[in-house]
Amino acid sequence: MNSRLYVVLYSVTLLLSASLLFVVQPMFSKMILPLLGGTPQVWNTAMLFFQLLLLGGYAYAHGTTKYLSIRVQAILHVILLVMFFFVLPIAIPEGWIPPLSKDPTLWQLSLMTVTIGGPFFVLSGSAPMFQRWFSGTNHKDANNPYFLYGASNLGSMTALLFYPVIIEPAMNLGEQSHTWMYGYMALIVFTIFCALVVWKTNKKKIEDKIVIEKEVITWGRRGKWLLLSFIPSSLMLGVTTYITTDVASVPLLWIIPLALYVSTFIIVFARKPIISEEKSSETFSFLLIFMFVYMILYQSKGIIFVPIHMILFFFAALVCHSALSSSKPSAQKLTEFYLIMSIGGALGGVFNALVTPNLFIIPIEYALVLGLAACMRFANEKQEKTKLYYFAIGIITIVAITFGINNESMIVKGLMTLVSLTGLALIINKRWVFGITVAITLLIAPPGDIWDYVTSDTILQDRNFFGVMRVIDTEDNQRIFVHGTTVHGTQSLEKGYEYTPMAYYYDTSPIADMFKFAATNYGEQKIAVLGLGVGVTACFDRDGRTFDFFEIDPGIIRIAENPKYFTFLSDCGSTYKIIEGDARLTLAYKPDNSYEFILADAYSSDNIPVHLITREAVELYLSKLKPNGLLGFNISNSYLDIEPVLAEIADSFQIKGYAKFSKGKTIEGLEIKSNDTAAFVFARNEQQEKFLSENGWTPAKKRKGVGLWTDSFSNIVGVIGIRTLKKRIEELERKEKKMDE
């Protein structure tokens, strides 16, 4: 083969290998998500697994490079690829059920190990190994194979972008798994060709020994590689959790930060990077300043803040990876460099997935590591001693930013913005002063208003695999339960109103309508509620009615059952039972035709677990209902339009779907306003249809572009930000205004 074609062969092989490596990440994570309640921590744990296996793959590449010749290494690698082919296609083995009442992190890691551990391990070692093989050819660029890392990352980037846009909408999980298997077969063929090339052209160079002897890698340099790899890895997981907590834990929102992370490698390891290390550091500095100004003026709430964090994360990762690339060793030390880089990445995963949920009771890790990234600007440059008055300016800047964020006066905000801008402008080129100023400010006033979690009114603060939980007493004499950033339950502390349903359950809400209809059926009633919250639905009591609450989070169960926090379960008088575990998995064990009414109201912060709103999920719910039973959903959500999803599912069963969007109102006798609420009902008979129509419900509307969601297919892109609850309420207000006129 002509040596000019070596680059093409190795580039295509690396691109295919990386594509397989990065497609399997969202694909398999989506497979296991239904087993674990749809929490964002599933992705953090999955990323930890992938980073640990990547570390194992790089260790395998480094070890075989150190102790084996290229020819022997090539034979071994082909054998391993073929051996792990026999565990395909990828699927979850029967009998794997997550543990109840325990943190499922180790269970998830074990499942991933036995299912995809082998193929992922051998694929992980491909990037450094193929580059080493290329360095053993007679190509003119053999002594500098780092440019091939760009081809590897291009494959990663392509896979990540294709998955939510093309692969996920076009194929179900079974088809994805089989297509992945065929791609793996193709990789084996390409790997054999690469091995044949290096077998024929491999040669020993005397000068290589001289290079190895001359280049001494110190532990300080290794430590620098480790830190510069750790920061972007941790930031990627931190910003992913920030987004998915309130929107949805789905592949699209996992992939965006991961794609940005990978793209920085493509840029910095290119022969001619399109963004220099200096420019990336400067841009990162200005973005930090912009973020602080935005936080002072508008705080950091709402979906509009998400793009700011995405861009900021991209340049933070670019700063670290630019410094990493600038300090890379010669080709002979290539595998050691990649090994240490992967250790840093794995430590980022360990920090976010294992350490922080147990170490920090509030989610401070994102702000903490972002502050650390601010100290990495111009990491390869030496800086002269900084005069003390610059540190004084830094202290004034910290005070101005934090005071501005926490003050409601726009005049004060404007003044503090001016002081902050002046201070940051003066110290922007003073690396350590600027970095420390940013780091301290981020800890005092971090994005997401997380210090709101710790107030004098907070009577409980806890954190587990499923997220952050708080119980807070408010100024208007309410006790609220907050999961993530979303209120999941409210109880009045006013005497005589302790058991008045509020929030989404007030007397004229769509959910209250469902219970009113259920009350029209006499006799004993069994009601299933998917998602416990604080147990407020237990106060929709009547003689002969019993409740089964299905709840995955043991922390929520402890809060709801403790009268010290909420008294709905203890004092409303309803007979109830709590079934711990994922609602869908545990409901499946109940006998068919068990319930008169099933209410699906399970959320993780503001995120509806997708596996609870698929066709198969609804089919299960319907099988557990009695012939005339009612099936309803609380679809109140800030970012997703769930109505057309459930409308498609209802149509697939030839059942009529009804939806209602209700504006919150002031609770009678209290100065407390309830929440805007949206709900959906599967109307299974004429009696239900008549009741719903008479109470303001309208036939559910489908929408073009929203297909039938199943366990193996869902498309979150089609429902983000389109006709959300806020927009529906605005439409209602406009209609009411026209009627008044």
Side-chain angles (χ1 to χ4, degrees):
M1 182 186 292
N2 190 311
S3 64
R4 293 180 181 178
L5 296 177
Y6 294 169
V7 172
V8 176
L9 173 62
Y10 277 88
S11 295
V12 170
T13 307
L14 278 164
L15 191 146
L16 177 58
S17 173
S19 297
L20 291 170
L21 199 65
F22 277 78
V23 162
V24 78
Q25 296 183 31
M27 180 180 77
F28 192 75
S29 298
K30 187 175 180 180
M31 285 183 184
I32 62 176
L33 196 63
L35 300 176
L36 294 165
T39 172
Q41 189 65 11
V42 172
W43 178 244
N44 276 1
T45 305
M47 283 304 300
L48 168 63
F49 171 82
F50 295 133
Q51 287 166 327
L52 290 174
L53 261 289
L54 190 68
L55 170 59
Y58 279 18
Y60 152 65
H62 178 63
T64 53
T65 294
K66 189 173 182 180
Y67 296 108
L68 302 177
S69 68
I70 289 180
R71 290 185 173 187
V72 175
Q73 185 186 53
I75 294 171
L76 175 63
H77 194 62
V78 171
I79 290 172
L80 288 177
L81 279 169
V82 172
M83 183 174 70
F84 288 124
F85 171 76
F86 292 101
V87 304
L88 303 178
I90 296 168
I92 296 176
E94 291 185 10
W96 278 80
I97 300 172
L100 298 178
S101 306
K102 293 181 181 178
D103 188 317
T105 301
L106 292 178
W107 176 88
Q108 182 182 337
L109 293 173
S110 300
L111 172 62
M112 297 182 78
T113 300
V114 301
T115 308
I116 59 170
F120 196 91
F121 167 79
V122 72
L123 287 174
S124 297
S126 296
M129 197 173 293
F130 289 146
Q131 288 177 66
R132 191 235 177 165
W133 294 2
F134 182 81
S135 70
T137 68
N138 57 10
H139 192 274
K140 62 183 181 66
D141 291 324
N143 288 327
N144 183 27
Y146 282 103
F147 72 91
L148 287 173
Y149 196 51
S152 175
N153 283 294
L154 179 62
S156 307
M157 186 78 168
T158 303
L160 290 172
L161 295 178
F162 274 31
Y163 188 83
V165 177
I166 297 176
I167 298 172
E168 188 180 25
M171 292 186 282
N172 61 39
L173 285 172
E175 292 167 340
Q176 290 176 33
S177 180
H178 280 85
T179 303
W180 194 90
M181 180 179 69
Y182 300 140
Y184 188 91
M185 290 171 61
L187 178 66
I188 293 174
V189 175
F190 276 100
T191 302
I192 291 171
F193 278 116
C194 288
L196 291 174
V197 166
V198 78
W199 189 280
K200 291 180 179 179
T201 62
N202 179 230
K203 56 192 180 306
K204 295 288 182 182
K205 296 181 181 178
I206 297 174
E207 58 267 28
D208 282 355
K209 280 190 175 182
I210 298 172
V211 173
I212 293 171
E213 290 171 1
K214 282 185 178 180
E215 184 171 30
V216 178
I217 299 177
T218 64
W219 283 106
R221 192 175 175 189
R222 293 185 180 101
K224 184 178 179 181
W225 293 344
L226 199 69
L227 181 62
L228 291 171
S229 304
F230 165 82
I231 293 171
S233 172
S234 176
L235 278 179
M236 176 187 62
L237 296 175
V239 80
T240 303
T241 299
Y242 177 87
I243 298 170
T244 57
T245 294
D246 279 347
V247 183
S249 191
V250 291
L252 171 67
L253 300 179
W254 302 332
I255 283 168
I256 294 172
L258 184 55
L260 292 173
Y261 175 80
V262 170
S263 68
T264 61
F265 282 114
I266 296 174
I267 292 170
V268 303
F269 283 98
R271 289 175 176 175
K272 293 182 180 179
I274 59 174
I275 305 175
S276 67
E277 185 176 353
E278 182 181 2
K279 289 295 181 185
S280 62
S281 290
E282 289 175 352
T283 306
F284 179 48
S285 303
F286 289 122
L287 285 169
L288 285 167
I289 294 172
F290 174 77
M291 183 185 73
F292 286 136
V293 170
Y294 192 95
M295 287 170 66
I296 292 171
L297 296 177
Y298 306 106
Q299 295 189 326
S300 58
K301 297 176 181 177
I303 200 167
I304 190 65
F305 208 57
V306 170
I308 296 173
H309 280 286
M310 290 292 94
I311 298 169
L312 187 65
F313 159 67
F314 170 78
F315 278 97
L318 192 62
V319 164
C320 294
H321 289 156
S322 293
L324 189 66
S325 176
S326 298
S327 63
K328 64 181 180 288
S330 63
Q332 285 68 38
K333 298 287 185 178
L334 176 147
T335 55
E336 181 183 359
F337 172 69
Y338 285 137
L339 175 62
I340 294 173
M341 195 167 71
S342 68
I343 293 173
L347 288 175
V350 170
F351 181 70
N352 282 64
L354 298 181
V355 176
T356 58
N358 296 293
L359 184 64
F360 301 134
I361 204 166
I362 60 172
I364 191 67
E365 59 270 15
Y366 175 47
L368 186 69
V369 180
L370 188 60
L372 185 59
C375 297
M376 295 296 106
R377 301 175 317 122
F378 310 110
N380 289 318
E381 296 182 14
K382 291 184 179 180
Q383 194 173 34
E384 296 178 2
K385 290 183 179 179
T386 304
K387 295 180 180 179
L388 286 175
Y389 69 81
Y390 281 110
F391 286 99
I393 295 171
I395 293 170
I396 293 170
T397 303
I398 293 167
V399 173
I401 295 172
T402 54
F403 189 70
I405 290 172
N406 295 308
N407 198 289
E408 294 183 1
S409 169
M410 288 307 297
I411 296 174
V412 175
K413 283 180 175 290
L415 180 61
M416 293 300 101
T417 300
L418 183 62
V419 174
S420 303
L421 279 171
T422 304
L424 291 167
L426 289 171
I427 62 175
I428 192 170
N429 288 321
K430 302 297 178 181
R431 177 188 167 197
W432 284 109
V433 179
F434 183 84
I436 292 170
T437 299
V438 167
I440 293 173
T441 304
L442 285 168
L443 290 177
I444 296 174
D449 302 322
I450 62 175
W451 286 120
D452 288 353
Y453 291 16
V454 184
T455 68
S456 58
D457 298 323
T458 300
I459 61 175
L460 175 71
Q461 173 89 23
D462 200 5
R463 186 180 185 184
N464 63 12
F465 181 88
F466 301 97
V468 177
M469 295 166 283
R470 291 174 287 160
V471 178
I472 302 170
D473 287 347
T474 65
E475 293 178 356
D476 53 4
N477 217 19
Q478 292 184 82
R479 177 162 294 168
I480 62 173
F481 171 59
V482 181
H483 191 271
T485 60
T486 304
V487 175
H488 275 212
T490 303
Q491 184 169 24
S492 174
L493 299 178
E494 294 281 352
K495 192 171 182 180
Y497 293 93
E498 299 95 328
Y499 311 113
T500 301
M502 297 188 294
Y504 303 100
Y505 309 95
Y506 55 98
D507 57 355
T508 58
S509 74
I511 296 174
D513 285 348
M514 299 181 202
F515 279 97
K516 287 174 187 174
F517 176 80
T520 63
N521 295 315
Y522 300 102
E524 293 187 358
Q525 286 189 348
K526 285 193 70 177
I527 294 178
V529 181
L530 314 187
L532 174 62
V534 295
V536 63
T537 48
C539 285
F540 289 101
D541 60 326
R542 49 152 278 189
D543 291 340
R545 177 177 283 176
T546 61
F547 289 86
D548 281 350
F549 291 102
F550 295 82
E551 177 57 54
I552 194 172
D553 189 341
I556 290 177
I557 295 173
R558 286 194 296 272
I559 290 170
E561 288 201 299
N562 191 337
K564 177 182 174 183
Y565 303 121
F566 296 95
T567 58
F568 293 122
L569 292 178
S570 59
D571 293 355
C572 278
S574 294
T575 302
Y576 74 89
K577 181 180 180 182
I578 296 176
I579 297 93
E580 188 174 346
D582 178 77
R584 182 172 158 185
L585 294 176
T586 50
L587 181 64
Y589 290 102
K590 292 293 180 180
D592 290 349
N593 304 312
S594 294
Y595 298 102
E596 277 77 16
F597 175 29
I598 295 177
L599 172 63
D601 189 15
Y603 280 78
S604 175
S605 190
D606 203 28
N607 157 15
I608 299 177
V610 172
H611 72 289
L612 297 182
I613 50 173
T614 64
R615 189 185 191 281
E616 290 86 349
V618 171
E619 184 176 27
L620 171 70
Y621 307 154
L622 293 172
S623 71
K624 303 304 173 183
L625 283 171
K626 291 185 177 178
N628 292 318
L630 185 71
L631 174 60
F633 288 77
N634 179 4
I635 58 172
S636 309
N637 188 270
S638 299
Y639 307 116
L640 305 181
D641 179 18
I642 303 300
E643 180 190 9
V645 174
L646 294 177
E648 286 285 349
I649 295 172
D651 189 59
S652 73
F653 288 109
Q654 297 183 333
I655 297 174
K656 291 183 179 179
Y658 281 78
K660 185 176 180 180
F661 298 83
S662 178
K663 184 180 177 182
K665 67 168 193 174
T666 301
I667 305 295
E668 187 176 346
L670 298 171
E671 294 301 318
I672 298 171
K673 189 176 180 182
S674 60
N675 297 78
D676 296 338
T677 308
F680 190 101
V681 164
F682 286 75
R684 305 172 69 204
N685 55 47
E686 291 182 1
Q687 182 188 6
Q688 292 178 3
E689 290 178 40
K690 181 181 178 183
F691 177 89
L692 294 169
S693 298
E694 291 174 350
N695 285 273
W697 292 68
T698 57
K701 297 176 182 177
K702 295 196 288 184
R703 197 179 69 245
K704 188 177 180 180
V706 179
L708 181 64
W709 285 22
T710 66
D711 284 351
S712 57
F713 171 82
S714 58
N715 182 15
I716 206 74
V717 177
V719 297
I720 290 181
I722 301 173
R723 300 204 75 200
T724 57
L725 177 56
K726 182 180 178 182
K727 293 179 181 178
R728 299 295 186 104
I729 297 302
E730 288 172 353
E731 290 174 8
L732 286 175
E733 290 174 341
R734 285 195 294 269
K735 288 180 181 178
E736 290 173 1
K737 188 176 180 181
K738 282 184 179 180
M739 290 176 66
D740 292 339
E741 292 173 352

